[in-house]
Amino acid sequence: MDKFMQAAIDEAKLGLIEGGIPIGAVIVHHGRVIGRGHNRRVQKGSAILHGEMDAFENAGRQPASVYRESVLYTTLSPCAMCSGAILLYGIPEVIVGENQTFMGKEEWLRANGVKVVLLQNPDCIALMRGFIASKPELWNEDIGEAGTDR
């Protein structure tokens, strides 16, 4: 397996260990991880800290040219919010672990010039299927589904 996708999976597993949602991401610039993160909505009480957003946050301020030369690896198809950040910062390529448990905005990314590579990685699929089966209410909250009000 690609070491960068493995790093994203490791982030997802860390999120699960912390009691959160197992979605991880890394941002890679010229073969070096510059930002890594995992979904921390539960851990931080955040509305926006999806895995990709956490990776951007941890990458910190970068020149636009750095993001435009980077690849984002994520264990799950990116939602509208994360796809918006990908477009905003000009990330040219996204490697997606899987989209069987959630179909994000892949077509929107492609329509805006982003190369999207889909792996259907069995580890990513198993991680999300297990989580969704065990905590459907938390998953529905994360993706903004109705019926999850507290």
Side-chain angles (χ1 to χ4, degrees), residues 46-94:
S46 172
I48 62 168
L49 275 182
H50 283 188
E52 299 90 339
M53 301 300 280
D54 193 39
F56 276 115
E57 179 68 15
N58 291 325
R61 288 180 61 195
Q62 299 289 334
S65 61
V66 169
Y67 285 121
R68 289 190 179 116
E69 297 171 343
S70 295
V71 178
L72 186 141
Y73 289 75
T74 180
T75 58
L76 188 64
S77 184
C79 72
M81 174 178 67
C82 297
S83 294
I86 289 164
L87 293 177
L88 176 68
Y89 290 105
I91 300 286
E93 183 174 1
V94 177

Side-chain angles (χ1 to χ4, degrees), residues 135-150:
K135 297 190 176 178
E137 69 291 339
L138 188 53
W139 172 242
N140 287 334
E141 175 189 320
D142 194 61
I143 60 173
E145 289 293 320
T148 60
D149 295 344
R150 294 180 198 175

